[in-house]
């Protein structure tokens, strides 16, 4: 690497000045983006972060004029390589896009043609655009795939997009975007759909490519952790405006806009737990672009709002060179001196496991031993049609055992396809178990929900992931919360309404919500109703299937606080599954890590997040994006993709990807042949690994916070 | 030390159909002296330089006022750009010395960097880039001691010097050697030494037989690059 | 809402959402689409014509058949089954659309015919929706063997061309209003069942259905309360199109002489009887009845098109 720092020499690749984008709707012009200004130099990444609906994607689409029929740039200027992009003809922009600007979207399949082999699609970029001979183009594509660290690139060229994994698809898209050596790369949530370990590898790749190709990158994400990892500078967007723009270290160390400060306070940090810290959601919600407050857009939600904030809309101003905010009082407000407002509900500060400190933990309420859920998979042989061939099974959950004491929370983490969802669906009876035992308050629940007693059904409820699907759009909020009350006869019919109102209050919604339809609610509100519905029957055990993963961070914090509060009040036991290690760490007393249908590590939360780790847990922790650029993580990356659960690897299922195998004699041959033993690390912490505990204990912690 | 490490990537480009005044404006606003002219797929067609934009008096001498206006109005980038045999380029995999050689031989101040198949522009290399390389080569980016030693033209002198410094555990950030100007019997060696004090360094250097200290001074890193935002 | 509100009176089912609100929303969508508006106007025209085929809506005397009943001069001046004018008369001020070979007023016959068609077509589609919807829901929700059985059965019915199916059923059971309804139900139900099945397959993966399952609700409750209301939009639009086809089918059956027996003023049979006189310089019977059928079908189609477009735009 040579010595010139990025972004120092010459003109910016792109300069956006006072950009305003509006959409035409039935209600008139809606200004989705207002007064956005920034510039990106060669070899620099500008991260654009904000919650959903804040206009960050609109900015990206505005740059390449993908605004659709009803969107247009109403103000401002975009200078790309010294030339204005505003008011250019469709044809000129198209050529420019092909040559100098590339885009990478969240879903790689939107950029890939499903009926064309990967190699052909990539080569097309070169043969059509540059009239390059076919052989030459192929060599180029191969080289580029190698450049993006694609395993076995020659084979990938022959494959169709659906035959490669999601992470590999995204690599192909990035490789394609780079084939033309673009000056500007616009990436809109490129890793959001990927698992955390794959995401980490793709982010590494993006950082490498920026350096080697000197490309200017506009990187859009809702995830502050991802932004902290890839960006040089960060712009924070709120309600269509850029509210803060600063170098990445400065933004995270010393945020000056109240919104940025609020966002950082909502995030559960890795290593923090509900006992040690609080989450502070930002009150209120993002205003709709057609109903903006007259003054500062953030004023209604701001803890520092004064009269002046209501009177005038602040402009983006420089606090010091390179640090801009759109707040009148940025110089005065101090994030460190912030105290939560008095009316904020007290989250579960108290340790929720009083018995754990001394004496024995309470008796387990849920006991699972050797649970198996297999799906029948039609075999490939023609005999399968006749039902004669050998039936294959997808071992979604294979031999899982754990126990949950009353009143505690067991968090289950793992990447997609690890079986965590199937596990809780089996427990609640939506899937039929194939073997093993599951006892819930002394009753056998190893059967489908339709064969269970109503009394058991009532004690076992679930909170779902997708806020848009969790409520039936045909009924009002009140009707949907009433249903479990009536069905389980929780209160006499005359008191149902009062009880619904009480539940609404419990989830911090007022009575007016009773008659609202789901389409009138925001995602966070829907999720609250989902929680109210699940807790309506006062169940003993609530299973939460990623209840906050679809929510924005500020809403997520409020919902997490709510879950903890209700849990504490009702002394409910919870199973909480999530792919987000920070959230699980924050909420759970115990954590189980799943890989390919099996639990590989289980124990008290603080034990899981410190050595000794299972090698898989270790790589998850190394990959998790942390919203703090000063934190250093060991560069441990998993290779390959998760093997098919149809034919899981022999011995230890993780052996095909394990980065720590070579700690064992003979390169870990034993891992391929023998199932690992459960090793007790003390305090209920168990590891499913061949590597001796002493060796694992000796490994350095993966996450190092700087003093 | 290859062209691709020092060139400016993603140079500003222009299309041949564009008007000369557009080129002028782009060059002034961006503060650049070379503007590669490209066709579809960034294929190099020519190069516009500042001199090329200056109108030669003899071209206008025979025209009246109206004709001059029209002449200027019709002038496109394709009309004024350097093209054909006058257009010199360099490959990204060439060495900087090769690039310098081309530039010196043809007395030009910048070279478009093109990739072989299709003449695709991938960057531009100008005198400034070469000067940056010189700066890097002489180790000017970090603080240290700049030493110039004059040594006789015979084998082993270089080793003596390096060993003397190396034995002390000091670092050599950069070094170069040139035949002493006007004295073919000697070489001037330039070194950038760090992690040591002036006196101890002087002691060591004085202790080397047959070598003469020409110059010793402290250097600091240059001020941050131009136009830091 | 006070605790005694309707929502708390029904113990098992959640109360319907406010009907007025729903109607207004539906009307809004209709008014927003110009296509749907044109369609609605056409359909509304025929509904009005059918309603005022006789005076009974405005003159109670018509019901009782009392002697002091005199027809209103503008509306229903003539009965449909008695000759009141010249044989094969051309349109005139007296008989707007002319008269047929029996001297019967064509306007009166069309108006009474509209009554028949506007009763039979929605009725038959309604029965088909009930039957097909139930089958589709079960096939989609239960899946597996139930799905296989129902789907194969429906495929068998679909394999027959519709018109042949009509002919077989009517030929076997004899022409009558009930049999026409039966024929259209049997021919139409499989298509509806398929639609409902695919909608059910989609909706049953939603979390709210899983939530109902985790409450231990019965499959019937889930199908009727959780799934059906969310499938109703596409079903209604499909039904509207099907009413159009049913109008056509009833016309066809009438034309083939398999519709309602005479003197019923079925549009199809008017065309059939009138076509013999086209060459004789009296095209009016066939022309008016054909136009009537066409305009009603087009109206229904436009309405369905416009509605589906609007609802999809806002999904």
């Amino acid at each position: 690497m040579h010595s010139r720092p990025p972004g120092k020499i010459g003109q910016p690749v792109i300069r956006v000045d006072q950009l305003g984008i509006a959409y035409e709707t039935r209600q008139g012009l809606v200004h989705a983006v207002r007064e956005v200004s920034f510039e990106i130099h060669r070899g620099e990444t500008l991260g654009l972060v904000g919650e959903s609906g804040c206009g960050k994607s609109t900015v990206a689409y505005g740059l390449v004029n993908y605004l659709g029929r009803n969107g247009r740039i109403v103000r401002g200027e975009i200078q790309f390589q010294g030339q204005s992009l505003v008011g250019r003809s469709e044809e000129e922009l198209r050529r420019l896009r092909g040559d100098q600007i590339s885009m990478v979207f969240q879903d790689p399949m939107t950029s890939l043609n499903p009926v064309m082999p990967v190699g052909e699609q990539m080569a097309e970029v070169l043969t059509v655009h540059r009239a390059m001979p076919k052989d030459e183009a192929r060599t180029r594509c191969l080289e580029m795939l190698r450049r993006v660290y694609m395993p076995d690139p020659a084979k990938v060229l022959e494959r169709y997009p659906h035959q490669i994994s999601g992470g590999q698809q995204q690599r192909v898209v990035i490789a394609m975007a780079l084939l033309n050596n673009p000056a500007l790369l616009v990436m809109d949530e490129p890793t959001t759909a990927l698992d955390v370990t794959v995401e980490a590898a793709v982010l590494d790749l993006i950082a490498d490519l920026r350096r080697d190709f000197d490309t200017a990158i506009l990187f859009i994400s809702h995830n502050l952790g991802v932004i902290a990892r890839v960006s040089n500078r960060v712009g924070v967007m709120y309600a269509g405006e850029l509210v803060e723009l600063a170098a990445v270290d400065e933004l995270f160390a010393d945020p000056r806009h109240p919104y940025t400060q609020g966002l950082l306070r909502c995030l559960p940090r890795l290593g923090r737990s509900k006992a040690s810290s609080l989450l502070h959601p930002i009150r209120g919600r993002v205003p709709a672009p057609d109903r903006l407050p007259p003054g500062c857009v953030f004023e209604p939600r701001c803890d520092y709002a004064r009269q002046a904030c209501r009177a005038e809309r602040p402009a983006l101003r420089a606090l010091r060179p390179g640090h801009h905010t759109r707040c009148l009082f940025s110089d005065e407000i101090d994030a460190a001196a912030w105290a939560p407002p008095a009316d904020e509900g007290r989250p579960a500060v108290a340790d929720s496991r009083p018995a754990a400190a001394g004496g024995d933990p309470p008796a387990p309420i849920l006991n699972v031993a050797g649970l198996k859920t297999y799906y029948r998979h039609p075999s490939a042989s023609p005999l399968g049609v006749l039902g004669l061939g050998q039936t294959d099974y997808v071992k979604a959950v294979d031999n899982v055992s754990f126990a949950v004491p009353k009143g505690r929370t067991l968090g289950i983490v793992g990447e997609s396809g690890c079986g965590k969802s199937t596990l809780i669906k089996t427990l609640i009876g939506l899937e039929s178990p194939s073997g093993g035992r599951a006892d819930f308050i002394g009753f056998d629940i190893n059967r489908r929900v339709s064969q269970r007693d109503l009394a058991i059904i009532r004690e076992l409820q679930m909170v779902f992931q997708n806020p848009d699907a969790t409520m039936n759009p045909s009924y009002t909020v009140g009707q949907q919360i009433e249903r479990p009350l009536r069905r389980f006869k929780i209160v006499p019919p005359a008191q149902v309404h009062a009880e619904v109102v009480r539940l609404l209050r419990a989830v911090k919604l007022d009575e007016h919500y009773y008659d609202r339809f789901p389409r009138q609610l925001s995602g966070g509100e829907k999720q609250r109703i989902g929680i109210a519905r699940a807790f309506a029957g006062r169940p003993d055990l609530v299973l939460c299937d990623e209840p906050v993963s679809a929510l924005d961070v500020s809403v997520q914090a409020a919902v997490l606080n709510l879950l903890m509060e209700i849990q504490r009040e009702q002394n409910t036991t919870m199973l909480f599954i999530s792919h987000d290690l920070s959230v699980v760490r924050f909420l759970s007393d115990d954590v189980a890590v799943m890989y390919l249908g099996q639990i590989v590590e289980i124990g008290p939360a603080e034990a899981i997040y410190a050595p000794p780790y299972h090698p898989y847990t270790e790589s998850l922790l190394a990959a998790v994006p942390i919203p703090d650029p000063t934190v250093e993580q060991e560069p441990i990356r998993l290779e390959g993709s998760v093997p098919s659960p149809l034919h899981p690897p022999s011995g230890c299922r993780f052996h095909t990807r394990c980065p720590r195998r070579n700690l064992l004699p003979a390169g870990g041959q034993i891992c391929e042949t023998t199932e690992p033993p459960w090793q007790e690390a003390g305090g209920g912490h168990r590891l499913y690994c061949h590597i001796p505990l002493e060796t694992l204990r000796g490994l350095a912690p993966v996450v190092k916070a700087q003093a | 030390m290859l062209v691709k490490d020092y060139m400016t990537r993603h140079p500003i480009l222009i299309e041949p159909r564009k008007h000369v005044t557009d080129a002028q404006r782009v060059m002034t606003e961006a503060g650049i002296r070379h503007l590669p002219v490209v066709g579809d797929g960034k294929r190099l067609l020519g190069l516009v330089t500042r001199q090329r934009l200056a109108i030669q008096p003899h071209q206008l001498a025979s025209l009246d006022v109206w004709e001059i206006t029209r002449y200027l109005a019709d002038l496109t980038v394709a009309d004024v750009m350097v093209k054909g045999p006058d257009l010199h380029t360099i490959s990204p995999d060439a060495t900087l010395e090769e690039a310098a050689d081309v530039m010196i031989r043809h007395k030009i101040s910048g070279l478009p960097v093109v990739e072989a198949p299709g003449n695709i522009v991938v960057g531009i290399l100008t005198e400034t880039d070469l000067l940056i390389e010189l700066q890097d080569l002489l180790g000017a980016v970090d603080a240290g001691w700049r030493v110039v030693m004059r040594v006789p033209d015979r084998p082993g002198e270089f080793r003596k010097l390096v060993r003397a410094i190396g034995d002390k555990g000091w670092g050599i950030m950069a070094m170069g050697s040139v035949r002493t100007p006007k004295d073919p019997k000697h070489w001037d060696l330039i070194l950038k030494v760090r992690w040591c004090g002036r006196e101890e360094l002087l002691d060591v250097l004085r202790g080397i037989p047959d070598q003469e200290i020409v110059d010793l001074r402290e250097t600091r890193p240059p001020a941050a690059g131009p136009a830091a935002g | 809402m006070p605790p005694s509100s309707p929502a708390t009176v029904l113990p098992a089912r959640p109360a319907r959402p406010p009907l007025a609100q729903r109607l207004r929303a539906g009307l809004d969508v209709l008014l927003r689409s110009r296509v749907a508006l044109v369609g609605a106007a056409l359909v509304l025209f025929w509904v009005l014509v059918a309603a005022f085929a006789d005076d009974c809506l405005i003159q109670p005397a018509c019901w009782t058949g009392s002697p002091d009943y005199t027809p209103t001069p503008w509306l229903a001046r003539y009965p449909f089954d008695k000759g009141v004018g010249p044989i094969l008369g051309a349109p005139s001020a007296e008989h707007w659309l002319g008269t047929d070979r029996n001297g019967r007023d064509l306007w009166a016959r069309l108006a009474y015919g509209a009554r028949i068609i506007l009763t039979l077509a929605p009725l038959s589609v309604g029965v088909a929706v009930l039957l097909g919807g139930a089958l589709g829901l079960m096939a989609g929700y239960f899946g597996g063997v139930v799905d296989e059985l129902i789907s194969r059965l429906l495929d068998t019915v679909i394999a027959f061309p519709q018109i042949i199916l009509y002919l077989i059923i009517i030929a076997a059971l004899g022409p009558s209003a009930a049999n026409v309804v039966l024929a259209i139900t049997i021919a139409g139900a499989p298509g509806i069942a398929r639609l409902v099945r695919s909608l059910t397959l989609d909706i049953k993966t939603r979390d709210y259905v899983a939530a109902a399952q985790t409450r231990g609700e019965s499959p019937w409750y889930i199908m009727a309360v959780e799934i059906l209301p969310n499938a109703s939009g596409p079903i209604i639009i499909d039904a509207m199109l099907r009413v159009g086809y049913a109008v056509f089918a009833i016309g066809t059956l009438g034309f083939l002489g398999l519709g309602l027996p005479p003197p019923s003023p079925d549009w199809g049979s008017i065309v059939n009887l009138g076509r013999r006189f086209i060459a004789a310089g009296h095209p009016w019977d066939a022309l008016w009845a054909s136009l009537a059928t066409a305009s009603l079908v087009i109206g229904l189609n436009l309405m369905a098109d416009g509605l589906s477009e609007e609802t999809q735009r806002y999904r």
Side-chain angles (χ1 to χ4, degrees), chain C residues 86 91 125-127 142 163 209 225 246 254 271 294 303 307 312:
Chain C
V125 171
V127 178
F142 290 118
I163 190 75
V209 174
V225 179
V271 178
M303 226 164 114
L307 283 185
Q312 258 152 34

Side-chain angles (χ1 to χ4, degrees), chain A residues 486-554:
Chain A
R486 294 177 193 288
R487 175 144 180 86
F488 301 133
K489 304 190 175 56
I490 306 295
V491 290
Q495 290 167 30
V496 165
H497 184 269
E499 177 70 8
V500 172
V501 171
R502 192 191 69 79
L503 283 166
L504 280 175
R505 294 239 165 84
V507 294
K508 310 275 185 289
L509 296 174
D510 63 39
E511 225 173 306
H512 299 122
Y513 282 84
Y514 191 98
D515 286 321
R516 297 220 181 141
F517 280 96
R519 61 170 181 274
Q520 297 164 304
L521 307 180
S522 70
E525 287 166 346
K526 286 182 207 167
Q527 212 56 318
R528 282 162 196 253
I529 308 285
I531 291 170
R533 187 179 58 190
F535 280 90
R538 304 195 191 150
D540 278 342
L541 178 62
V542 172
L543 310 177
C544 301
D545 184 0
E546 307 233 12
V548 296
S549 65
L551 302 177
D552 279 322
V553 280
S554 69

Side-chain angles (χ1 to χ4, degrees), chain B residues 141-198:
Chain B
V141 284
D142 291 297
W145 298 99
R146 181 183 189 274
V147 181
V148 180
M149 302 289 284
R150 186 155 297 165
V151 304
D153 183 10
R154 64 178 182 221
E157 291 299 325
F158 213 102
R159 203 181 59 198
K160 276 199 296 196
L161 177 60
V162 173
R163 178 171 287 171
I165 294 170
D167 283 348
K168 286 285 185 181
W170 301 332
I172 300 177
M173 284 186 290
M175 68 168 64
S177 58
V178 288
R179 209 175 271 275
T180 309
K182 298 174 194 129
D183 182 2
K185 292 269 167 58
H186 284 86
W187 285 76
D188 282 355
L189 304 185
I190 175 165
L191 282 100
K192 228 25 204 307
V193 187
R194 61 176 170 180
W195 304 328
C196 62
R198 182 183 167 90

